Structure formats: C-alpha cells, structure tokens
Amino acid sequence: MDSEKLAELVADACDDRKATDIRLIRVDEVSSLADWMVIASGQSDVQVRAIARSVEDCLETEADLLPLRKEGLNEGRWALLDYGDVIVHVLMPDERGYYDLEAFWSHGESRTFLRSVK
C-alpha cells in the first residue's frame, strides 16, 4: 500500500471515532522524516485515546502495520503514532492551537479530509 493510501486509511480511522478537523499534509518534498502527516483533533483525553486506538486497530487489520513508535497515549492530550511513511498526531484543541503543526508543515501540500457518508 502506498503512503497516500495509508494516510487516507488513517484519516478514515480517525473519522470512525468522530475526530474533527482531520488534515492530511504531504511532506515528502519538504522533509525526509515521513511522506505524510495526518493531524486530527479529539475533544477529550478519552476521545484522543480512542482515535489513536482506532488508527492502530485499522492499520494492523488492513495493512498489517504496527507503529514504530507511539507517544502520549497515557496523558491523552497529544497522541503520536509513527508508521514511518505516515506520522499521526491526535491532539486536544488547546494543544493543537498551541503547537500549530499545520503552520510548521505549511510548505507541504495540505488537504482536509472530507467525512465519508456511512
């Protein structure tokens, strides 16, 4: 599975747990860190953890992938899942506003995930 399809799968898994403001940012031309960043918001620490768990479950089932690294799941304010080609950030609104990852990665191609009808 190519990295763009993987990023879309991540966004869909975020959407399954009602994440808000899901952004996909293509960073392969501006960084060697990853191909894509997926950034999403959860409205509570419980929702942040649920979104991250949904991503983990989906990628393990659909793509046979486990994260290389994961951070912040205990606190639930900012969860980071590193899948190599795709890095996933799930943040509470205050953290998202403070760190403003979209501005940091603004040189990459960005698009908003459009919620699918289920």
Side-chain angles (χ1 to χ4, degrees):
M1 178 176 302
D2 71 17
S3 61
E4 183 174 10
K5 295 288 185 207
L6 194 61
E8 290 169 354
L9 192 59
V10 165
D12 200 43
C14 291
D15 185 52
D16 282 347
R17 293 294 177 263
K18 308 295 186 224
T20 57
D21 195 16
I22 303 168
R23 306 281 302 170
L24 291 84
I25 305 173
R26 185 177 185 162
V27 296
D28 62 341
E29 294 183 9
V30 296
S31 173
S32 61
L33 194 59
D35 291 348
W36 290 87
M37 298 282 170
V38 178
I39 304 170
S41 292
Q43 302 306 308
S44 69
D45 58 341
V46 172
Q47 187 184 22
V48 167
R49 286 192 292 269
I51 294 165
R53 187 72 210 159
S54 176
V55 170
E56 285 187 86
D57 290 347
C58 179
L59 292 192
E60 185 174 359
T61 302
E62 300 293 325
D64 197 29
L65 287 175
L66 296 173
L68 302 171
R69 282 172 287 293
K70 51 187 175 178
E71 299 289 336
L73 293 174
N74 290 337
E75 298 84 8
R77 300 196 61 78
W78 179 356
L80 181 143
L81 302 171
D82 181 354
Y83 286 93
D85 290 340
V86 177
I87 298 177
V88 184
H89 300 272
V90 184
L91 302 96
M92 296 269 293
D94 287 346
E95 282 71 14
R96 187 163 180 174
Y98 181 79
Y99 290 103
D100 198 7
L101 296 173
E102 290 91 341
F104 185 81
W105 293 107
S106 64
H107 292 92
E109 172 193 330
S110 178
R111 67 179 194 245
T112 302
F113 177 77
L114 300 175
R115 178 162 275 135
S116 57
V117 178
K118 296 180 182 180

